[in-house]
Amino acid sequence: MQFSNDADLYKTIGSNIKYYREKAGLTQVQLAELVQISISYISKIEASGCTKSLSISVLNHIANTLNVDICDFFVRR
């Protein structure tokens, strides 16, 4: 999968995190607590205009917490 710019990449990742978080029935607060990151960080990641980068380690922890394959975060919906 290729992204034309970082904004498209972050938007895709953020919207997929939100999708899988909601599918798991979790709030941003609950996910933040489970992943041990701040609520504002989750909120910024999920925001449609997000330009905040995140580490692979955090992304992996979110994927594990939501029980999804990390690759699912890169799929355009």
Side-chain angles (χ1 to χ4, degrees), residues 36-47:
Q36 298 180 331
I37 59 177
S38 72
I39 298 160
S40 64
Y41 191 34
I42 287 287
S43 178
K44 287 176 184 173
I45 291 169
E46 288 187 1

Side-chain angles (χ1 to χ4, degrees), residues 7-59:
D8 288 341
L9 171 63
Y10 298 144
K11 182 178 179 180
T12 299
I13 291 171
S15 65
N16 282 322
I17 289 173
K18 180 178 181 178
Y19 171 79
Y20 287 109
R21 174 183 59 76
E22 290 176 343
K23 188 174 179 182
L26 297 173
T27 65
Q28 287 182 340
V29 172
Q30 292 168 321
L31 181 58
E33 289 173 353
L34 291 169
V35 179
Q36 298 180 331
I37 59 177
S38 72
I39 298 160
S40 64
Y41 191 34
I42 287 287
S43 178
K44 287 176 184 173
I45 291 169
E46 288 187 1
S48 62
C50 175
T51 58
K52 181 142 184 90
S53 63
L54 66 156
S55 72
I56 295 296
S57 177
V58 168
L59 192 60

